[in-house]
Amino acid sequence: MKIKISADLLDGMVLAFLSQKDYYGYALTQDMQAAIDISESTMYPVLRRLQKDGFLTTYDQPYQGRNRRYYKITDKGFDHLKAVETMWQSYKLSLDQVFFGGRGGKTNG
């Protein structure tokens, strides 16, 4: 069974990776796949949407006779990442309470 990841969380993960360094699409997909189950066909629409929303910018870099498109987080992207991190912390705390909060000796009834 796989837990589905919301678009907001997926955006936040992409921005978190890009806050560390610029990535080209394939390398970013590989690093994302080490954390979650995601396909390239899912990643590229996310990257295009984040770019359209002004959270990312791109630039091309030559590599072995071809160009690689690199993605770079913008100031607006950093702001959005902070907002997603705040939402995630609140959400995680709520879920931790649901899953683990009642195990400290509480009983029903």
Side-chain angles (χ1 to χ4, degrees), residues 28-91:
L28 178 58
T29 301
Q30 294 297 302
D31 283 0
M32 288 281 292
Q33 286 174 337
I36 61 170
D37 184 28
I38 188 167
S39 67
E40 281 186 68
S41 63
T42 300
M43 277 296 297
Y44 286 101
V46 170
L47 290 168
R48 282 192 295 275
R49 182 173 39 77
L50 290 171
Q51 183 182 4
K52 180 180 167 254
D53 291 344
F55 301 139
L56 303 178
T57 187
T58 62
Y59 61 93
D60 291 338
Q61 193 87 18
Y63 178 78
Q64 296 182 349
R66 298 183 61 197
N67 277 335
R68 280 185 174 165
R69 173 142 303 156
Y70 281 81
Y71 296 88
K72 178 179 179 73
I73 191 170
T74 63
D75 289 341
K76 185 177 178 183
F78 276 109
D79 292 342
H80 187 64
L81 173 58
K82 292 297 178 197
V84 172
E85 287 171 345
T86 299
M87 288 186 294
W88 168 251
Q89 287 300 324
S90 176
Y91 186 66

Side-chain angles (χ1 to χ4, degrees), residues 11 24 50:
D11 289 357
Y24 62 97
L50 290 171

